[in-house]
């Protein structure tokens, strides 16, 4: 496994990391898969208080009890459960974040969170107040660093300008190149790490039947699937090629991947062991379809 410094932090994250949203409800099975990931070089594990109403954090905390100092744990905040349990409301307030972190710490069975992320965000949020909350938690040692999980360019620009964020998590893949227009270069220039998600486009870049995706038609998705099959040969899997495309951009710190099985895990951790995507292959994939752009929140 290859590791990279996350932005200007002291965290060195595995270039392929574990998106815990994919975990099931069996703690024993989760623990086995998470420990296998750790044994195979993955050291960064991303969850959220929203996932399974907090049970995801609990399962992750149980799995790494005893080796907490060996792994990097990231979680997210901002979605507040309604009192009647019927759903979630968006709450990026300082008061709520300070309350919510205590619950996440308890569920994760830890004294600190390596990376605490705002789980979304809008330009109408009280951004200064949200930043105050994160800075307070950082000063108290409850979190080591903070970031945001957002695909909105206008929100990202505000946090780059006003805060000390370490990272931004955003969707990025061969079929979703919207971050390339401005976000990736902006973050790279400001030494803010990028954590990608959705690198296999809901399985469309691996083995799922073609269908419409974002602004691409089914025919266009079929076209990129054809090119992927032509490029991989016997040297690498479609998933490995998809992540290599994402990780090719210098702004990328790690590709957060939802891993459900041991087979998927052993495939993804070899991204840097199989032959790397050649420049002409990378260029070819870039030019198969027209680049898509963010239509809102610009």
């Amino acid at each position: 496994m290859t590791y990279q410094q996350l932005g200007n932090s002291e965290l060195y994250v595995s270039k392929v990391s574990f998106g815990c949203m994919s975990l099931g409800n069996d703690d024993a099975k989760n623990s086995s898969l998470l420990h296998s990931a750790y044994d195979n070089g993955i050291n960064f594990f991303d969850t959220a208080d929203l996932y399974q109403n907090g049970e995801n954090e609990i399962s992750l905390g149980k799995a790494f009890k005893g080796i907490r100092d060996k792994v990097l744990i990231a979680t997210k905040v901002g979605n507040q459960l309604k009192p009647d349990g019927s759903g979630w409301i968006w709450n990026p307030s300082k008061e709520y974040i300070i309350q919510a972190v205590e619950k996440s710490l308890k569920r994760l069975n830890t004294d600190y969170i390596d990376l605490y992320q705002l789980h979304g965000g809008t330009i109408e949020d009280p951004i200064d107040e949200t930043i105050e909350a994160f800075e307070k938690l950082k000063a108290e040692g409850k979190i080591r660093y903070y970031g945001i999980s957002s695909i909105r360019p206008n929100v990202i620009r505000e946090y780059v300008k006003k805060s000390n964020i370490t990272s931004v998590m955003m969707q990025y893949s061969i079929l979703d190149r919207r971050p390339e227009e401005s976000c990736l270069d902006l973050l790279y220039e400001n030494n803010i790490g990028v954590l990608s998600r959705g690198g296999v486009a809901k399985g469309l870049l691996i083995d799922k039947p073609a269908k419409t995706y974002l602004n691409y038609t089914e025919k266009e998705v079929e076209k990129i699937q054809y090119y992927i099959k032509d490029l991989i040969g016997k040297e690498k899997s479609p998933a490995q090629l998809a992540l290599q495309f994402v990780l090719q951009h210098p702004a990328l710190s790690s590709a957060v991947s939802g891993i459900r099985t041991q087979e998927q895990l052993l495939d993804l951790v070899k991204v840097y062991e199989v032959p790397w995507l050649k420049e002409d292959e990378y260029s070819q994939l870039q030019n198969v379809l027209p680049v898509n752009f963010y239509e809102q929140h610009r």
Side-chain angles (χ1 to χ4, degrees), residues 159-175:
Y159 276 90
V160 170
K161 181 170 63 177
K162 293 183 173 183
S163 77
N164 295 307
I165 55 170
T166 288
S167 62
V168 174
M169 179 178 286
M170 61 175 64
Q171 182 169 294
Y172 181 47
S173 72
I174 298 172
L175 284 172

Side-chain angles (χ1 to χ4, degrees), residues 150-154 156-157 168-172 176-184 197 214-215 291-298:
S150 178
I151 62 172
R152 298 182 173 188
N154 56 359
I156 291 170
R157 284 195 300 270
V168 174
M169 179 178 286
M170 61 175 64
Q171 182 169 294
Y172 181 47
D176 186 359
R177 294 172 57 199
R178 295 174 298 175
E180 291 179 6
E181 182 183 7
S182 62
C183 294
L184 293 182
R197 59 177 177 82
L214 298 178
N215 62 308
V291 180
N292 42 12
F293 301 96
Y294 291 117
E295 296 179 359
Q296 299 176 321
H297 314 291
R298 296 178 60 86

Side-chain angles (χ1 to χ4, degrees), residues 64 90 145 149 227 240:
F64 289 134
W90 178 242
Y145 302 97
S149 177
Y227 272 86
Q240 289 168 345

